Amino acid sequence: MTPQAPQSIVIVGGGTAGWMAAVAFGRLMGPAGVRVTLVESDAIATIGVGEATIPPIRTFHAMLGIDENAFLQATGGSYKLGIRFEGWSCPGESYIHPFGQIGTDVVGVPFAAQWLRAHQVGMADPLAQYSLEARAAEAGRFSRPIANGDSPLSRIGYAYHFDAGRYAAFLRTQAEQRGVVRREGTIERVETGPAGIAAVHLANGSRIDGDLFLDCSGFRALLISGALGTGWVDWSEWLPCDRAVAVATSADAAPLPMTRAIAGPAGWRWRIPLQHRTGNGHVFSSRHLSEDEATAQLLADVEGKTLGDPRIIRFATGHRERMWSGNCIALGLAAGFMEPLESTSIHLVQSGLQHLLRLLPTGKMSMPASALVDRYNRVMTAEFVRIRDFLVAHYHLNARPERFWRERAIAPIPDGLADKLALFRAGGRIFREADELFNETSWLSLLTGQNAPVEGYDPICDAVPLHVAVRRLAQIEQVVGASLNHMPPHADALSRIAARESRRADHLAPL
Ligand SMILES: Cc1cc2nc3c(=O)[nH]c(=O)nc-3n(C[C@H](O)[C@H](O)[C@H](O)COP(=O)(O)OP(=O)(O)OC[C@H]3O[C@@H](n4cnc5c(N)ncnc54)[C@H](O)[C@@H]3O)c2cc1C
């Protein structure tokens, strides 16, 4: 870093986004002498939800030197192998979107293409049978990857569920150990200047200035919107749910290592098992369901004893026109929000941080290199758009009878999604765009799970005679079944963490 790089970074907000940013900047820039200050208000609560994640979080933790056992102990966390979508294509049907990779190529031809062809003629089992993660999730089993040649056990894809409040507290400890200074106080005024943000003023009269400001103030978006007036791109036409009601219940004795997403009359409910409790929520459209009705539906569905009162959360779906403006970068809810259907919000914080660390200017922030800023805004917007399209597909491809769902099925869809569906329809072709979060396995699980129309199969399959492909598919299924037997119950893995038996070890070491 040159001497002209930002020397002082101010993070506004101490929710998940703020403390993730604090750990990252504290660890990676603290040693270079950069001052990192985080301001949060004890009087303004964090959002308090955000408990399900996706596998890239493990890369983030590894980058920050976070020990997996310590993290799971501190946050009451559990393991997650995927998401089960219940009743999305139509009531009574369900499918899993598993992490990891499904199957392997069949003589050089992609697994997805071969499976689709064989499935169309009734010679292949349901897709989940070929996924170790999907079968383990259903069976309530879990293991970290076990080095074992080319076995699916060696490449198990997993993520976590955790308690959002405890996660922020855990990250705070990590950040403070790395020299991040926490300032408590409510920001009453934001001072602007030629660079964008000059300083924030607290209710107690103190002024905190810096070279670079990260707006992690949640839906308030104090800096990026309140002070800089950055516009908002509204996506409610694509994703009209605008409310959630959340309530915790007592812990499940045998928690499944997966998130459940259960479709309802005008939205869906989540269920997230932790060590010490279960998180439950209901995401819904207020045009179709009142808050009271949504709460009643949630309470009728939960299992176990409720812990506390249900809490309503109102949100808007979309993102800031520019997530980086002047010397201010918005992360987390201040940058944008999409409903937690695929657990992508915390990932977007992580992704924003990773892009930001690569694009930090080496000159004064009063003269931001516009190419860096433009690139950041472009890649982050593209990431939001691709995730949005993936979410919209869940709603578009449905045969449910209720008004909300009939409207979703016929509503116009974004062009990018229309292209994906057209390619799939024409022979089951799936292409992952550059840097796209969701890979072919994810799209295959979604499109087949939601009965997307498909005509014929990819002609590349004809390179392998059908009977050869069917035999190979059977072998893959058999290997997955045998691998499953090596995985202990998820509850065992969790009780070992709770009992603090698990040693501090490399995060990929087998349990
Ligand atoms: C219903 C729902 C469910 C979700 N589920 C998931 C999920 O399963 N997985 C996932 O990845 N994400 C999920 N999310 C998103 C996730 O919760 C957020 O992305 C994440 O918690 C980041 O929040 P945040 O830190 O941006 O904001 P917040 O948690 O709202 O934190 C804002 C911070 O700013 C501070 N602040 C605000 N105003 C001031 C002020 N004037 N002065 C000083 N400080 C101030 C507050 O004190 C607080 O510390 C969900 C979100 C919602 C709404």
Side-chain angles (χ1 to χ4, degrees), residues 5-24:
Q7 294 301 300
S8 166
I9 295 175
V10 178
I11 300 168
V12 169
T16 306
W19 284 114
M20 284 174 77
V23 181

Side-chain angles (χ1 to χ4, degrees), residues 92-124:
E93 279 192 7
S94 76
Y95 68 95
I96 292 193
H97 170 191
F99 298 144
Q101 175 194 329
I102 304 186
T104 49
D105 291 358
V106 181
V107 202
V109 178
F111 170 85
Q114 290 293 2
W115 174 81
L116 265 173
R117 171 176 70 158
H119 195 249
Q120 282 170 3
V121 292
M123 297 181 77

Side-chain angles (χ1 to χ4, degrees), residues 256-271:
L256 292 174
M258 66 177 163
T259 307
R260 290 175 61 194
I262 308 153
W268 60 279
R269 300 184 299 281
W270 77 73
R271 195 170 293 177

